[in-house]
Amino acid sequence: MSTHILVTGGCGFIGSNLIKYLSTLNLFDKIFVLDNEITGTAAALAGVPHQFIRGDIRNQRDVDEAVKKVDVIVHLAADTRVINSISNPVYNFEVNVHGTVNILEAMRRHKVQYLINASTGGAIIGETEPPVHELMPVNPASAYGASKASAEAYCSAYSQSYGLSITSLRFSNVYGPLSLHKGSVIAAFIKKILRGEACDIYGDGYQTRDFIFVSDLCQGIIKALERKERGVFQLGSGQPTTINEIINLLKDVSGHKYNLELAYHDYRVGEVRHNYTDITKATDYLGFKPEVSLRDGIQITWDYFINKDDILNSSLTHRAIQNAD
Ligand SMILES: NC(=O)c1ccc[n+]([C@@H]2O[C@H](COP(=O)([O-])OP(=O)(O)OC[C@H]3O[C@@H](n4cnc5c(N)ncnc54)[C@H](O)[C@@H]3O)[C@@H](O)[C@H]2O)c1
């Protein structure tokens, strides 16, 4: 029997990496992508076999059109910007909550049985004593965190009311190639360094995050697709890393050729101070095992960005190189 998969948000950072891995495996006969290209771009999937459907998850007709063709869905499309969600919570709600309910409704109508819902660890749990795990109560500090907690709750409700099989995967901070458009910390720092601009640090740099390399995350998503365990799972490295450690690793992988200017600012509202993840449940039930060291992952990410200097505004990149020690 032929099996078709839909990846919503497949043009984005995680989606385009995932589809590249999926296209090398024999798990699905056809890969469909639904994306409105608001942050991602279809060009990220050039040369990778897939069928692109340009559409918006806020529009039920677009969603039905895509969902009716498939058996399995990985739902990644979202407004992912935590700080923007604080200035525009209604837009964030429309995309992340209403959009997810549109997917669930379409699954119900077209009898699609299995969904992986992309969720988040830190932003849902809020400020707490890490490591963060699945049994902690939710306490979001941002509209983004609230939208993801709400989407998880709808997944639970549709699973119990209509018998849909759903796995919510709570990703920690993901980094890696194909993240040129991202504002997350490692991508943002590398872009600033290449442009000769100061890296913005909110707080003293001793705040911690759990950074997972995108190939490890994609392996976790693929394990979940294979095992179809219902419920909520944290996917992270299981390790805390300070922002200052990231700066030191970036100095290292760039061969100390760039002046790294640092600009310290106040902590931002809505961001948690300390976060890392307990991945025991994902290890036990999904066989999840991250393998890429932070240093190797940052080196691969740096190498990806350095080859993008045409897009990164070459004149500014040039200035950064001239400023080097
Ligand atoms: N990157 C991380 O560190 C991280 C951490 C935790 C959770 N997540 C979750 O993983 C998922 C993927 O994140 P990402 O980092 O790849 O983000 P991304 O912004 O690169 O990708 C999101 C994709 O969704 C598309 N999209 C946005 N709104 C849409 C809409 N209304 N209709 C159709 N498509 C739409 C965008 O064009 C983009 O291609 C998101 O759900 C995000 O919340 C990411």
Side-chain angles (χ1 to χ4, degrees), residues 9 11-15 34-40 55-58 76-78 80 95 118-120 144 148 171-174 181-182:
C11 298
F13 163 46
I14 295 170
L34 174 65
D35 202 300
N36 66 356
E37 294 186 279
I38 193 156
T39 56
D56 196 310
I57 58 167
R58 291 171 295 171
L76 299 172
T80 63
V95 178
S119 192
T120 176
Y144 171 73
K148 288 287 178 179
F171 308 159
S172 63
N173 291 60
V174 192
H181 62 285
K182 295 295 290 185

Side-chain angles (χ1 to χ4, degrees), residues 241-297:
T241 302
T242 66
I243 300 303
N244 292 332
E245 285 175 81
I246 296 292
I247 290 288
N248 286 335
L249 281 168
L250 284 169
K251 284 182 185 160
D252 201 19
V253 300
S254 63
H256 299 269
K257 285 199 204 120
Y258 294 82
N259 282 331
L260 256 69
E261 278 177 55
L262 307 177
Y264 287 89
H265 310 277
D266 288 343
Y267 283 105
R268 292 188 293 191
V269 175
E271 286 190 317
V272 298
R273 298 277 162 97
H274 292 292
N275 179 247
Y276 72 97
T277 305
D278 180 344
I279 56 172
T280 310
K281 189 178 173 197
T283 306
D284 290 352
Y285 287 84
L286 305 179
F288 172 63
K289 192 165 166 278
E291 285 172 348
V292 180
S293 72
L294 188 60
R295 199 201 176 284
D296 287 353

Side-chain angles (χ1 to χ4, degrees), residues 93-255:
F93 170 84
E94 282 297 327
V95 178
N96 294 1
V97 184
H98 192 182
T100 302
V101 173
N102 284 343
I103 304 277
L104 294 167
E105 269 301 291
M107 285 179 72
R108 190 157 81 94
R109 270 206 284 274
H110 300 288
K111 305 203 177 351
V112 176
Q113 277 303 312
Y114 186 63
L115 171 78
I116 288 184
N117 169 51
S119 192
T120 176
I124 280 190
I125 306 294
E127 199 64 60
T128 188
E129 188 64 35
V132 167
H133 60 77
E134 294 84 353
L135 296 177
M136 284 178 162
V138 300
N139 181 26
S142 64
Y144 171 73
S147 75
K148 288 287 178 179
S150 179
E152 274 191 14
Y154 275 104
C155 286
S156 166
Y158 271 70
S159 177
Q160 294 183 54
S161 300
Y162 309 114
L164 304 182
S165 183
I166 302 177
T167 310
S168 282
L169 297 178
R170 293 180 177 173
F171 308 159
S172 63
N173 291 60
V174 192
Y175 70 100
L178 306 177
S179 57
L180 190 66
H181 62 285
K182 295 295 290 185
S184 43
V185 63
I186 292 178
F189 281 176
I190 296 177
K191 286 187 273 191
K192 293 271 186 179
I193 294 166
L194 293 176
R195 289 174 177 151
E197 296 168 3
C199 297
D200 296 307
I201 297 178
Y202 298 93
D204 57 10
Y206 286 99
Q207 64 268 49
T208 54
R209 293 287 180 271
D210 180 318
F211 293 97
I212 181 157
F213 189 61
V214 70
S215 68
D216 279 335
L217 181 89
C218 289
Q219 294 316 319
I221 297 173
I222 290 165
K223 294 254 187 222
L225 281 168
E226 288 168 338
R227 300 214 180 170
K228 294 193 173 59
E229 290 280 353
R230 291 179 185 212
V232 175
F233 297 87
Q234 302 269 171
L235 295 185
S237 67
Q239 306 293 328
T241 302
T242 66
I243 300 303
N244 292 332
E245 285 175 81
I246 296 292
I247 290 288
N248 286 335
L249 281 168
L250 284 169
K251 284 182 185 160
D252 201 19
V253 300
S254 63

Side-chain angles (χ1 to χ4, degrees), residues 15 21 43 54-55 92 123 157 159 207 236 267 285 303 306 308 318:
Y21 291 114
R54 195 172 204 285
N92 187 268
S159 177
Q207 64 268 49
Y267 283 105
Y285 287 84
D303 293 344
I306 203 98
K308 291 274 173 208
H318 209 70

